[in-house]
Amino acid sequence: MTFPLAGGGEEVESGDAYVPPLPEHAVARVGSPLWKMGRDVNALTFSHDGTLLAGVSNDFTVRIWDVATGREKLRIGLWAAPLSDVALSSDGKLLAAASKDGVWVWNAKTGDRIHRLESRQKWVAFSPDGKHILTASQGTPMHTWDVETGKQVELFDSKKPTSGFQFTSDGKLLSITHANEIVFWNWEEKKEVSSLPFDQEQTLSGKLVVARKANLAAAVSSHGWAHVWDTKEGKLLASLKDEEADAIIKAVAISPDGKWLYTG
C-alpha cells in the first residue's frame, strides 16, 4: 500500500512499469505482478538515492525493486528463520538482513554473500560511512560489526527495551524506537539529544524510518497502524491504517523526497 504524504506525487499504475511476461501456456493475469512478496512483509528500506526499495518477509526471501518501474531486480532465498529486518549501505552496494539464525551481508547487485554474522538479532543498519553494521534484538545491547572483517568491534546499551533503530538522513543521529517514544542519540558521543513522544494506547513495535530530504519520519505500532511525525517540530502528523484491505501494517518506508509512504 502507498500513501501520499505531500503534494506533487503522482501515482504510478501500469503505465511505464515493467510487467513480466506470462508463463508458458498462460493466457491472462489477474492482479498486478509488481511489488509482490510471498507472505507478510516484515521490513522495508529505501536506498540513499531513492531508486531502490528493499524488503524482507516471512517467505524467507530478501528482494530489491526498482522504484521507478516496480520491477524486481534481485531476489535471494534464505532457508533460515524468517527475516525480520533489511538494510542497504549508503552507496547502495551492500545489502544486509537479520533473523534469529544470524545476520547476512550480500553484494546488492549480484546477490553474492559476503558475510554471515554469528549474531541472532532482529534489527540491522549500516553506519553512514558504510564501514560498520549495527544489530540488536529487544532487550539486548546494540552490536557493532566491522563490514570488511565481519568481526564484532563494540557494544552499546541504550538501557531501554528496543523496537528498532535507524540513522537519520544526515548520518549524525541514531534513532532508537522504544514502546512509547523515539530517542535520538549522537552516535559519535553516545549521548541522548532529543526524543519524539508517542502518547497513545498503542505501543511502537518497529524501527523509525526517516525521509532523506524532508523533515518526516514514520514507524509502526502494535495495532498495525503507521504513524508519521514532523521531526523538526517534534509533532505526530498522522496515524494511518490500510482501510481498503483491512490489513495490519507491519513495515513502512518513506520515499527520500517525503512524498510517499510505502507500507507492507
Side-chain angles (χ1 to χ4, degrees), residues 3-91:
F3 296 93
L5 292 179
E10 295 181 1
E11 188 168 358
V12 178
E13 295 291 348
S14 56
D16 298 329
Y18 168 80
V19 178
L22 291 173
E24 186 178 3
H25 307 306
V27 295
R29 174 183 284 116
V30 178
S32 170
L34 306 175
W35 307 107
K36 292 290 186 181
M37 296 201 85
R39 298 180 64 184
D40 292 347
V41 178
N42 290 329
L44 296 167
T45 190
F46 275 98
S47 60
H48 194 79
D49 62 6
T51 62
L52 301 174
L53 180 69
V56 293
S57 81
N58 287 337
D59 68 356
F60 305 98
T61 66
V62 54
R63 309 188 193 206
I64 295 179
W65 297 273
D66 180 279
V67 172
T69 65
R71 179 175 184 170
E72 186 177 294
K73 295 177 69 69
L74 181 71
R75 182 192 303 189
I76 300 171
L78 196 65
W79 296 110
L83 298 167
S84 54
D85 198 13
V86 63
L88 285 164
S89 59
S90 58
D91 60 8

Side-chain angles (χ1 to χ4, degrees), residues 90-228:
S90 58
D91 60 8
K93 294 181 179 180
L94 297 178
L95 170 71
S99 83
K100 292 181 180 179
D101 282 348
V103 175
W104 285 262
V105 185
W106 299 275
N107 180 305
K109 185 175 182 179
T110 66
D112 293 335
R113 193 173 83 176
I114 298 171
H115 293 300
R116 177 176 182 262
L117 307 179
E118 298 293 336
S119 178
R120 298 178 179 180
Q121 304 291 301
K122 188 172 183 178
W123 298 288
V124 61
F126 283 95
S127 63
D129 60 9
K131 294 181 179 180
H132 296 96
I133 293 174
L134 281 64
T135 66
S137 287
Q138 191 157 358
T140 67
M142 194 172 298
H143 301 252
T144 304
W145 307 79
D146 185 282
V147 168
E148 186 174 347
T149 66
K151 302 295 184 182
Q152 183 176 309
V153 295
E154 188 180 19
L155 280 177
F156 168 69
D157 194 349
S158 66
K159 307 299 183 182
K160 299 178 184 178
T162 300
S163 297
F165 53 87
Q166 186 82 312
F167 280 97
T168 55
S169 55
D170 59 10
K172 295 180 180 179
L173 301 178
L174 179 72
S175 66
I176 302 179
T177 306
H178 305 291
N180 298 107
E181 66 174 342
I182 296 165
V183 179
F184 293 89
W185 292 76
N186 181 307
W187 182 242
E188 292 286 334
E189 300 177 4
K190 304 296 186 294
K191 181 179 178 181
E192 184 177 326
V193 294
S194 64
S195 64
L196 293 174
F198 185 70
D199 301 322
Q200 298 199 18
E201 294 180 0
Q202 307 175 51
T203 57
L204 294 171
S205 59
K207 68 180 181 181
L208 185 78
V209 294
V210 182
R212 300 288 184 193
K213 300 177 182 178
N215 297 315
L216 295 175
V220 177
S221 65
S222 56
H223 290 191
W225 289 56
H227 306 273
V228 183

